[in-house]
């Protein structure tokens, strides 16, 4: 945590921040303050998501020195969510008397996760300001912060938004070092990369990606003397190692290879190949390594609805796969999850840049922007077995909003009325989902009660449906939960029980009988079943 706050302080004292005018600073602070308040308002209206209890549970054990990965879903849990534990540390003063289970503390803990959103916002602002100048950062930053996916996870306890912000910071400081050759920028990059690798397993790809970026980038015009390459990259590896050691409290470090975790077949094979070196020490904490082992085990096991499964599987457009990768999954989901206004601006940006798309020099100049976008799009599409939500693709958002921001700024100057109409359309589409922004889909799916036919998983419902269902049933007593026996009446059912056949829980009769007639908060589906509907279904079964 000390390293993280030192990292944030370095941003606030940077040369970029000193160059910004006072009115722009006030505007930025105002934008972030409003975003913070709206994020807090939204998160107070939605229930805890599927993974949040798991993150809290593991983080509490971690803080007490028990880092064991007990449950299947513990595979992805990391200390990066430590800020959410601040209220638990202060529970003596914060916990209400009538909150025996500590739900209020967990809710407050969500607010502390906003520091990662704040980090990402400051880094994106600094990069945009350096690229395009005064006030040209406003539209791209606003569109990024209020992207339904990014906004939804502003205060969710998990690793998706932290890894996104830290990925952005890693490449920003790499870009700054490429420009200036200043040692402090390399040190800041080391801090960002170390925290990113701590946040999420897939961030280990950062190392080869950064090496490739520096190799592709053209020679920068600077008179500064760069560190020797072996010193720079040695420092980066040292920072990563120290960050992991400190985060895992040095527990179980330098365990012998003979004690390598072997829950997965992949790690069993690895241990067999390294048997000759069984006495050699592994210079990493045991439970950091065990996380990779459990990830491989869950990948080999695949999805299912049993307690031993860490995920349901990959399910979209009526197709079910026990595991990924399904190469077109993210492209398919992205079509429906990203606002149409942003799609329009992205297409416009590619058109405006069409003359540069064949220029190798142009690609090399902006490699620090496009490389993480292209690389992680490929990694997620072709190697990720856990394709269980659009949230994993949040890593692509900063890169996309550089393109969106480019065309937005151009249109604000040349076609202001058109840009205003696009922003109005964006705002109306956004507000139509308030406060359940997690379930946002664009207007390509017009009948929102039928979203489940196209999308499922955490892209539309992340276990927040049950609380909305209870609220709806209290407000509308004429509706009830359906039973497993076919019956006439008005029924309300959470989307999780409809979208995926593994979750049907005996409700197949309702799902096969007719389509929902409406929805509540986009995750509670409403049905009206008549005797005529039941008779018609019986006739089909009997063949009459």
């Amino acid at each position: 945590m000390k390293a993280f706050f030192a990292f944030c302080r370095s941003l606030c004292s940077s040369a970029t921040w000193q160059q910004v005018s006072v009115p722009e600073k006030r505007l930025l602070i105002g934008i972030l303050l409003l975003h913070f308040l709206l994020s807090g308002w939204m998160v107070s209206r939605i229930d805890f998501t599927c993974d949040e209890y798991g993150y809290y549970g593991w983080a509490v054990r971690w803080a007490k020195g028990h880092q064991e990965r007990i449950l299947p879903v513990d595979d992805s849990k990391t200390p990066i969510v430590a800020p959410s534990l601040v209220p638990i540390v202060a529970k003596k003063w914060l916990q209400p008397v009538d909150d025996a289970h500590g739900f209020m503390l967990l809710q407050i803990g969500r607010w502390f996760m906003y520091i990662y959103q704040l980090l990402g916002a400051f880094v994106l602002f600094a990069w945009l300001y350096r690229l395009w100048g005064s006030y040209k950062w406003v539209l791209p930053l606003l569109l990024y912060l209020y992207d339904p996916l990014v906004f939804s996870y502003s205060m969710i306890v998990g690793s998706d938004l932290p890894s996104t912000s830290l990925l952005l910071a890693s490449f920003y400081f790499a870009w700054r070092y490429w420009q200036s050759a200043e040692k402090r920028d390399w040190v800041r990059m080391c801090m960002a990369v170390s925290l990113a690798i701590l946040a999420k397993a897939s961030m280990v790809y950062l190392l080869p990606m950064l090496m490739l970026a520096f190799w592709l980038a053209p020679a920068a015009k600077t008179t500064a003397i760069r560190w020797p390459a072996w010193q720079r990259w040695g420092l980066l590896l040292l920072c990563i190692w120290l960050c992991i050691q400190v985060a895992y409290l040095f527990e179980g470090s330098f365990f012998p290879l003979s004690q390598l975790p072997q829950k997965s077949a992949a790690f069993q094979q690895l241990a067999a190949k390294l048997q000759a070196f069984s006495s050699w020490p592994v210079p990493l904490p045991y439970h950091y390594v065990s996380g990779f082992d459990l990830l491989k085990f869950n990948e080999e096991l695949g999805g299912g609805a049993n307690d031993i499964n860490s995920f349901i599987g990959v399910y979209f457009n009526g197709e079910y796969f026990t595991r990924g990768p399904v190469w077109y999954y993210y492209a398919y989901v992205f079509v429906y999850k990203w606002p149409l206004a942003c799609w329009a601006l992205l297409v416009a940006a590619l058109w405006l840049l069409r003359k540069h798309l064949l220029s190798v020099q142009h690609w090399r100049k902006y490699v620090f922007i496009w490389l993480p976008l292209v690389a992680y799009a490929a990694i997620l599409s072709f190697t990720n077995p856990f394709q269980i939500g659009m949230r994993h693709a949040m890593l692509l958002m900063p890169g996309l909003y550089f393109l969106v921001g480019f065309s937005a700024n151009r249109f604000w100057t040349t076609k202001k009325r058109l840009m205003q109409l696009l922003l109005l359309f964006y705002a109306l589409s956004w507000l139509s989902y308030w406060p359940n922004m997690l379930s946002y889909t664009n207007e390509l799916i017009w009948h929102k009660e039928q979203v489940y036919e196209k999308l499922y998983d955490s892209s539309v419902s992340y276990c927040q449906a049950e609380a909305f269902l209870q609220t709806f049933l209290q407000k509308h007593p004429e509706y009830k939960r359906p039973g497993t026996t076919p019956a006439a009446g008005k029924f309300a059912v959470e989307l999780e029980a409809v979208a995926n056949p593994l979750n049907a829980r005996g409700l197949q009769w309702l799902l096969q009988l007719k389509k929902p007639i409406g929805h509540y908060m986009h995750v509670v589906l409403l049905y009206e079943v008549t005797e005529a509907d039941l008779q018609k279904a019986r006739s089909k079964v009997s063949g009459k």
Side-chain angles (χ1 to χ4, degrees):
M1 287 299 293
K2 289 182 179 180
F4 178 82
F5 286 117
F7 180 60
C8 293
R9 282 197 301 270
S10 71
L11 285 175
C12 296
S13 61
S14 68
T16 305
W17 184 250
Q18 304 302 323
Q19 295 170 12
V20 179
S21 66
V22 173
E24 280 187 278
K25 289 180 180 178
R26 290 173 178 169
L27 176 59
L28 175 63
I29 293 171
I31 288 171
L32 294 176
L33 180 60
L34 176 62
H35 187 270
F36 173 74
L37 294 174
L38 288 175
S39 298
W41 187 9
M42 185 212 74
V43 84
S44 68
R45 301 281 301 278
I46 62 171
D47 200 7
F48 293 103
T49 58
C50 298
D51 279 345
E52 284 185 281
Y53 286 117
Y55 270 105
Y56 270 124
W58 188 87
V60 169
R61 296 201 310 271
W62 163 81
K64 293 179 178 179
H66 299 284
Q67 304 164 8
E68 299 83 0
R69 300 185 185 276
I70 301 170
L71 303 173
V73 293
D74 286 345
D75 55 356
S76 59
K77 306 305 180 281
T78 70
I80 204 68
V81 300
S84 66
L85 299 180
V86 173
I88 296 177
V89 174
K91 66 179 181 180
K92 179 180 179 180
W93 301 278
L94 295 177
Q95 187 172 9
V97 177
D98 58 349
D99 185 31
H101 297 289
F103 289 115
M104 179 63 72
L105 297 178
L106 301 186
Q107 188 67 258
I108 297 173
R110 286 169 140 186
W111 289 65
F112 283 84
M113 292 298 293
Y114 192 80
I115 62 173
Y116 295 109
Q117 184 71 284
L118 201 60
L119 168 66
F122 270 114
V123 171
L124 186 59
F125 157 76
W127 206 338
L128 292 167
Y129 186 90
R130 282 186 169 273
L131 272 180
W132 297 331
S134 185
Y135 289 104
K136 294 294 185 180
W137 54 269
V138 177
L139 281 176
L141 182 63
L142 279 172
L143 289 169
Y144 170 76
L145 287 175
Y146 286 96
D147 177 276
L149 181 67
V150 176
F151 181 85
S152 298
Y153 284 84
S154 294
M155 293 185 178
I156 296 296
V157 179
S159 61
D160 297 301
L161 186 69
S163 57
T164 299
S165 294
L166 291 164
L167 173 67
L168 175 64
S170 298
F171 273 89
Y172 169 69
F173 287 115
W175 175 72
R176 289 287 298 119
Y177 180 77
W178 166 70
Q179 283 190 324
S180 66
E182 292 187 8
K183 293 181 179 180
R184 62 182 179 181
D185 289 318
W186 186 269
V187 171
R188 289 167 178 169
M189 187 201 76
C190 291
M191 294 169 67
V193 171
S194 301
L195 289 168
I197 290 177
L198 178 67
K200 191 182 277 285
S202 61
M203 290 293 103
V204 295
Y205 292 108
L206 258 176
L207 287 172
M209 286 166 60
L210 285 168
M211 291 179 181
L212 179 60
F214 279 108
W215 180 71
L216 289 174
K221 297 178 181 179
T222 177
T223 58
I225 300 175
R226 296 184 184 275
W227 269 348
W230 71 270
Q231 290 183 6
R232 296 200 309 268
W233 295 102
L235 177 63
L236 175 57
L237 293 175
L238 178 62
C239 285
I240 294 170
W241 181 79
L242 280 175
C243 181
I244 293 171
Q245 292 287 2
V246 171
Y248 282 84
L249 312 175
F250 292 89
E251 185 173 323
S253 294
F254 298 98
F255 64 92
L257 263 173
S258 59
Q259 297 178 14
L260 188 73
Q262 298 181 42
K263 190 175 181 67
S264 66
F267 269 65
Q268 291 170 15
Q269 294 170 7
L270 178 63
K273 291 178 180 179
L274 299 176
Q275 193 170 9
F277 311 98
S278 59
S279 61
W280 286 27
V282 178
L284 291 169
Y286 180 85
H287 294 296
Y288 175 74
V289 178
S290 70
F292 287 90
D293 177 39
L294 188 53
L295 276 170
K296 292 300 295 182
F297 174 79
N298 288 330
E299 175 188 344
E300 294 163 1
L301 182 64
N306 301 311
D307 291 339
I308 61 172
N309 300 105
S310 66
F311 65 113
I312 289 290
V314 183
Y315 188 77
F316 65 103
N317 198 30
E319 295 183 273
Y320 176 76
F321 306 86
T322 55
R323 68 175 67 81
V326 181
W327 69 268
Y328 55 90
Y329 169 81
Y330 288 104
Y332 179 90
V333 176
F334 214 90
V335 167
Y336 298 107
K337 285 290 291 182
W338 211 32
L340 290 182
C342 293
W343 273 116
L345 290 168
L346 176 63
V347 171
L350 295 175
W351 173 255
L352 292 170
L353 293 169
R354 65 191 183 281
K355 294 181 180 179
H356 298 287
L357 295 180
L358 298 178
S359 170
V360 174
Q361 191 63 22
H362 190 82
W363 284 95
R364 292 181 66 193
K365 181 179 178 181
Y366 293 100
V367 64
F368 293 96
I369 293 176
W370 63 258
L371 182 60
L373 169 62
V374 173
Y376 271 107
I379 289 167
L380 291 171
S381 297
F382 296 103
T383 69
N384 181 23
F386 306 104
Q387 293 173 325
I388 51 177
M390 191 64 188
R391 56 195 172 90
H392 295 154
M394 202 184 308
L395 298 170
L396 313 182
M397 291 302 176
L400 286 171
Y401 278 100
F402 276 104
L403 290 168
V404 167
F406 174 78
S407 58
N409 282 331
R410 178 71 66 88
F411 287 160
W412 191 259
T413 303
T414 60
K415 295 180 174 59
K416 194 169 186 176
R417 182 60 58 87
L418 174 62
M419 190 62 215
Q420 289 173 337
L421 289 174
L422 271 177
L423 290 175
L424 177 62
F425 176 62
Y426 180 97
L428 292 174
S429 177
W430 196 91
L431 288 170
S432 68
Y433 270 81
W434 181 264
N436 187 22
M437 302 305 299
L438 282 165
S439 300
Y440 178 86
T441 56
N442 62 34
E443 288 68 33
L444 291 179
I445 304 178
W446 189 254
H447 296 285
K448 300 303 184 181
E449 70 276 7
Q450 296 177 19
V451 166
Y452 69 91
E453 295 180 348
K454 299 289 186 182
L455 306 177
Y456 176 55
D457 59 45
S458 61
S459 299
V460 288
S461 186
Y462 202 12
C463 299
Q464 78 272 28
E466 177 61 28
F468 286 126
L469 175 59
Q470 293 178 12
T471 300
F472 178 81
L473 293 175
Q474 291 173 0
K475 293 181 178 178
H476 301 274
E478 69 274 18
Y479 280 86
K480 59 183 178 181
R481 297 174 186 263
T484 56
T485 303
K490 293 184 176 182
F491 302 107
V493 59
E494 68 271 26
L495 187 143
E496 283 97 336
V498 176
N500 193 317
L502 296 184
N503 279 342
R505 298 192 293 272
L507 299 180
Q508 287 86 349
W509 70 269
L510 179 60
L511 314 186
Q512 297 168 4
L513 187 64
K514 63 189 307 183
K515 294 183 183 296
I517 61 168
H519 66 85
Y520 176 72
M521 289 295 177
H522 303 93
V523 287
V524 175
L525 302 183
L526 310 178
Y527 291 83
E528 288 189 10
V529 179
T530 64
E531 289 294 343
D533 294 325
L534 296 174
Q535 184 59 43
K536 185 177 179 180
R538 295 190 194 103
S539 299
K540 286 184 178 180
V541 172
S542 62
K544 297 181 180 179

